Amino acid sequence: MRRAVCPGSFDPIHNGHLEVIARAAGLFDEVIVAVSTNYSKKYRFSLDERLEMAAETLASLRGIVIEPMGEGLLAEYCRQRGASAIVKGLRSSSDFDYEVPMATMNRQLTGVETIFLHAEARYAHLSSTMIKEVAGLGGDVSDYVPRAVQRRFAEAAGAAHD
Ligand code: ADP
């Protein structure tokens, strides 16, 4: 069984993530979408919401497991879960510069490999941060996020008007 981990905070999950996860699912028997929590970071969505949005969105894909990653080392998490690879999407050369030292460290720690998939051009400008900014200012993000995420933004906007 070839198992990979796609880690991230997914705050919220967007179409760039989905595209990379779907491509990873085509390469591995099982892909664990590991939703991270860093207690020094402020999230727009709670861990439960981030897990729910990912689960709703990925329900139709085979071979996907969604779970919280906790706060520990990613390389150790992969070892415990029997995953031989981490799959990451690369949007730009700055993503590459940021990711390669981490990939090297993870490999040195436990032998886990990191596989980079180049981001699909139409999603390469997307980040969760940009989506939150645009949606927060009333912009339409429906081309960039799945329904489960659109719904939560709409609920939040509705609650703000009550
Ligand atoms: P972070 O872990 O920095 O909070 P995210 O949770 O948003 O980042 O993303 C998790 C991973 O998803 C990133 O490490 C990156 O590999 C990938 N990713 C993010 N945005 C995109 C995109 N637009 N296209 C392809 N892959 C992406």
Coordinates of all heavy atoms in Angstrom, one line a residue, residues 16-17 23 36-37 52 59 80-81 93 107 131 143:
G16 N -7.1 25.1 -5.6 CA -5.7 24.8 -5.8 C -5.3 23.6 -4.9 O -4.7 22.6 -5.4
H17 N -5.8 23.5 -3.7 CA -5.5 22.3 -2.9 C -6.2 21.1 -3.5 O -5.6 20.0 -3.5 CB -6.2 22.5 -1.5 CG -5.6 23.6 -0.6 ND1 -6.4 24.5 0.1 CD2 -4.3 23.9 -0.3 CE1 -5.6 25.3 0.8 NE2 -4.3 25.0 0.6
R23 N -4.7 14.9 -7.8 CA -3.6 14.4 -8.6 C -2.8 13.4 -7.7 O -2.3 12.4 -8.2 CB -2.7 15.5 -9.1 CG -3.3 16.2 -10.4 CD -2.8 17.6 -10.6 NE -1.4 17.7 -11.0 CZ -0.7 18.8 -10.9 NH1 -1.3 19.9 -10.5 NH2 0.5 18.8 -11.3
S36 N -3.5 20.6 9.8 CA -2.6 21.0 10.9 C -3.1 22.0 11.8 O -4.0 22.8 11.4 CB -1.2 21.4 10.3 OG -1.5 22.5 9.5
T37 N -2.6 22.1 13.0 CA -3.0 23.1 13.9 C -1.7 23.6 14.6 O -0.9 22.8 15.1 CB -3.9 22.6 15.1 OG1 -5.0 21.9 14.5 CG2 -4.4 23.7 16.0
E52 N -14.4 19.5 8.4 CA -15.7 19.3 7.8 C -15.7 19.7 6.4 O -16.3 19.1 5.5 CB -16.8 20.1 8.6 CG -17.3 19.4 9.8 CD -18.1 20.3 10.7 OE1 -18.7 21.3 10.2 OE2 -18.1 20.1 11.9
A59 N -15.5 14.1 -0.5 CA -16.3 12.8 -0.2 C -16.4 11.9 -1.5 O -16.4 10.7 -1.3 CB -17.7 13.2 0.2
Q80 N 4.6 7.4 11.6 CA 3.5 6.8 12.4 C 2.4 6.3 11.5 O 1.8 5.2 11.8 CB 2.9 7.7 13.5 CG 3.9 7.8 14.7 CD 3.4 8.9 15.6 OE1 2.3 9.4 15.5 NE2 4.2 9.2 16.6
R81 N 2.0 7.0 10.5 CA 0.9 6.6 9.6 C 1.4 5.8 8.4 O 0.6 5.4 7.6 CB 0.2 7.9 9.1 CG -0.3 8.8 10.1 CD -1.5 8.2 10.9 NE -2.7 8.2 10.1 CZ -3.3 7.2 9.6 NH1 -2.8 6.0 9.7 NH2 -4.4 7.3 8.9
S93 N 8.5 30.1 -7.5 CA 9.9 29.8 -7.1 C 10.0 30.1 -5.6 O 10.8 29.5 -4.9 CB 10.9 30.6 -7.9 OG 10.5 31.9 -7.9
R107 N 13.4 14.5 5.1 CA 14.0 13.3 4.6 C 15.1 12.8 5.5 O 15.3 11.6 5.8 CB 14.5 13.5 3.2 CG 15.1 12.3 2.5 CD 15.1 12.5 1.0 NE 15.5 11.3 0.4 CZ 16.8 11.0 0.1 NH1 17.8 11.9 0.5 NH2 17.1 9.9 -0.4
I131 N -8.0 34.3 -0.4 CA -9.4 34.0 -0.5 C -10.2 34.6 0.7 O -11.3 35.2 0.5 CB -9.6 32.5 -0.6 CG1 -9.3 32.1 -2.1 CG2 -11.0 32.1 -0.2 CD1 -9.1 30.7 -2.3
D143 N -15.5 30.9 -7.9 CA -14.7 30.2 -8.9 C -13.5 29.5 -8.2 O -12.8 28.7 -8.9 CB -14.1 31.1 -10.0 CG -15.1 31.5 -11.0 OD1 -16.2 30.8 -11.0 OD2 -14.9 32.5 -11.7

